[in-house]
Amino acid sequence: MAERCFTVVSGDVLAQLRSAPSEYFDALLSDVPYGLGTKQPSMPEIVAYLVGGEMETGGDFMGNKWHVPSVNVWREVMRVLKPGAPLLVNAAPRTEDLVALGLRAAGFEIRDIVMWMFAESMPKGHAIGKALDRAAGAKREVLGEGAARCVYLARGEKCPGHGDANGKYGETVHAAATAPVTDLAKAWDGYGTDLAPGYEPVILARKPIVGTYVQNVIAHGTGGLNIDGCRIPRAADYGAIAGARGDSFNARGGWPKNVIMDAAAGAELDAEVGERASGIAVTRNGGGGFIFAGQKGHGPRPDTGYTDTGGPSRFYKYCAKASTAERHMGVAEGANGHPNVKPIDLTRYLAKLVLPPTREGEPRRLLVPYCGSGSEMVGAILAGWDEVVGIEREAEYVTTARARVALAETNPRAFEALIEGDLERGDKVDERQIGLFGGDNGGS
Ligand SMILES: C[S@@+](CC[C@H](N)C(=O)[O-])C[C@H]1O[C@@H](n2cnc3c(N)ncnc32)[C@H](O)[C@@H]1O
């Protein structure tokens, strides 16, 4: 078995990558800066960005001075990855196009966008009616206590809105309910400027393969996704119909999809659609539920598929947002102050998706630039990666990431138990989806 080695490098991503060896890493997993400042880039700025300049979006959310990775960063990533290496890059809906363009400009192929969907989120933007009254200098009638509407405070948890130095979320969420006063405000009451976030995109890209994908796998050991390692377990009864075929059935579960959801999103979907029997995703002869005559030489016989029933959420991987306990676990000072901590269940799943098979004597190496407090690194350790290199510029987050990585290395069960405990906390979720990683952290 290859020796395991996990390192958090302190410094700027571009500078650190320049000293890394070529064609060293098998894959990349990164929650890069999103560039969620208020500035919309102009066409000349986008063109300058595509030829290597810094993309100026006015920084990132909560006043952070972070830029989306430049094309020069992606060019260095291209150099240090093996041909065919997959990349999973977290982004935000508003600026995902810029990140994906940067990847393309550096020569990467965009293969897919994975959607991580969640039901609970902070509302965004401004209430137009309120703003109109404010502009007119009108004093609105106070109707009730706003804090009572906060889902976090109602659960006895700290509201993430309190972390915003500008009080922006606090104002939106905790402001007391008021009635419009001016005619214009009455007309625009209930109108806002933005939607609430319900998903985060994860860009799936790939360094171009050399030759065919088979030649690439033989020469470089890269070029595939770990489908069986990430299948969605399904309760099924293969063979329930005597003599039936199982073309659309796999005992290890359903093919991983480009949608992941949290329990609440799954519950909403199930409630909307209701209980349904499974369909069969194979070609039919147009009626009667038979596979097209002659397919695989078996003639027209029914395909059982998965004979299960349930809500549509059973087709998807389940992943909740990071709980407070998970965010802080293993942190030396007792508090993880990063504003963008990703759930380990999600990072573990994504890391497993890009994990190649074991190779005798050669470690499988994952690159995690912009590693923040280390959530992607922890997920990668649990997923079975042998060598993980994270890069982070802020000293505070480097310290936090090192502490969390040390705990994941010495006691991975601590994280796993928390993830499983989270699910037991009362979240509504199909049990068949929970079992995905139960006691199985190796590659397949
Ligand atoms: C979106 S956060 C990643 C958070 C991570 N998912 C976690 O769970 O902690 C992006 C990180 O990139 C870091 N960063 C921004 N620009 C950087 C640069 N040029 N070099 C290294 N790190 C950088 C920021 O300090 C921040 O921690």
Side-chain angles (χ1 to χ4, degrees):
M1 195 177 138
E3 204 163 304
R4 303 188 86 196
C5 175
F6 310 114
T7 316
V8 181
V9 177
S10 169
D12 174 69
V13 164
L14 184 56
Q16 295 301 324
L17 282 177
R18 284 193 170 131
S19 59
S22 298
E23 298 193 4
Y24 186 77
F25 293 98
D26 297 279
L28 173 144
L29 174 62
S30 184
D31 184 21
V32 302
Y34 304 154
L36 287 179
T38 49
K39 187 179 176 318
Q40 292 287 340
S42 66
M43 183 54 83
E45 285 167 338
I46 292 173
V47 171
Y49 159 69
L50 290 179
V51 294
E54 207 73 83
M55 166 54 71
E56 193 41 78
T57 51
D60 212 327
F61 68 107
M62 289 175 69
N64 285 303
K65 303 261 177 284
W66 304 337
H67 295 101
V68 300
S70 68
V71 174
N72 284 341
V73 167
W74 291 128
R75 286 189 185 123
E76 274 307 299
V77 169
M78 179 72 83
R79 183 182 64 76
V80 303
L81 288 180
K82 295 176 183 170
L87 300 86
L88 281 168
V89 180
N90 280 80
R94 184 152 65 79
T95 50
E96 169 258 311
D97 60 330
L98 296 172
V99 178
L101 264 182
L103 282 158
R104 283 190 196 277
F108 288 103
E109 302 165 356
I110 302 297
R111 309 284 300 178
D112 210 332
I113 305 284
V114 179
M115 281 174 82
W116 172 40
M117 293 168 53
F118 37 83
E120 271 178 22
S121 60
M122 306 298 286
K124 274 193 189 310
H126 305 279
I128 297 177
K130 276 189 186 175
L132 286 167
D133 268 346
R134 206 165 28 238
K139 195 166 166 37
R140 291 165 68 95
E141 185 196 348
V142 177
L143 299 176
E145 182 50 56
R149 301 199 310 272
C150 173
V151 289
Y152 294 95
L153 296 183
R155 284 203 302 246
E157 294 173 12
K158 183 172 164 24
C159 171
H162 291 149
D164 186 343
N166 306 320
K168 189 174 153 201
Y169 296 130
E171 186 193 328
T172 314
V173 176
H174 296 147
T178 53
V181 177
T182 60
D183 285 347
L184 206 50
K186 282 178 186 161
W188 284 89
D189 192 38
Y191 282 78
T193 55
D194 293 277
L195 301 175
Y199 80 96
E200 278 187 22
V202 185
I203 302 165
L204 173 60
R206 188 175 74 175
K207 176 168 174 172
I209 53 175
V210 176
T212 65
Y213 69 88
V214 169
Q215 289 165 339
N216 196 92
V217 163
I218 293 168
H220 303 286
T222 47
L225 298 174
N226 185 10
I227 299 298
D228 270 2
C230 293
R231 281 186 181 272
I232 315 298
R234 299 268 300 278
D237 189 14
Y238 172 53
I241 306 170
R245 300 163 54 168
D247 300 53
S248 56
F249 175 86
N250 185 301
R252 298 197 62 176
W255 197 278
K257 294 190 190 309
N258 56 8
V259 174
I260 299 168
M261 53 180 72
D262 76 352
E268 280 189 10
L269 182 65
D270 291 349
E272 182 79 21
V273 179
E275 187 139 326
R276 297 274 170 91
S278 286
I280 300 166
V282 292
T283 316
R284 293 156 186 256
N285 63 354
F290 288 91
I291 296 172
F292 190 74
Q295 189 181 340
K296 288 192 184 169
H298 291 306
R301 277 188 287 135
D303 177 22
T304 55
Y306 295 88
T307 54
D308 60 346
T309 56
S313 73
R314 72 189 188 282
F315 301 120
Y316 303 100
K317 163 73 180 141
Y318 161 83
C319 242
K321 285 188 175 179
S323 66
T324 308
E326 181 184 291
R327 147 193 283 273
H328 299 307
M329 195 172 67
V331 182
E333 295 77 25
N336 181 351
H338 203 289
N340 211 239
V341 177
K342 286 285 183 286
I344 304 302
D345 198 17
L346 176 72
T347 61
R348 179 178 62 170
Y349 180 76
L350 295 176
K352 195 165 189 182
L353 197 56
V354 293
L355 179 70
T358 39
R359 293 180 298 235
E360 195 52 45
E362 197 193 340
R364 296 164 297 175
R365 302 184 183 106
L366 181 72
L367 175 62
V368 186
Y370 308 98
C371 69
S373 65
S375 309
E376 289 71 25
M377 296 187 70
V378 170
I381 293 166
L382 302 191
W385 281 89
D386 306 308
E387 187 174 326
V388 182
V389 177
I391 308 173
E392 170 58 46
R393 195 174 53 189
E394 304 294 330
E396 177 195 341
Y397 304 146
V398 170
T399 306
T400 303
R402 284 181 178 154
R404 296 177 85 207
V405 163
L407 179 63
E409 189 175 356
T410 52
N411 185 10
R413 249 333 269 165
F415 283 99
E416 287 159 357
L418 247 193
I419 295 167
E420 287 150 24
D422 251 6
L423 297 174
E424 284 160 16
R425 200 176 51 187
D427 294 339
K428 182 181 177 301
V429 62
D430 187 322
E431 278 179 8
R432 288 163 292 184
Q433 295 178 320
I434 301 174
L436 183 58
F437 293 105
D440 169 24
N441 290 314
S444 62

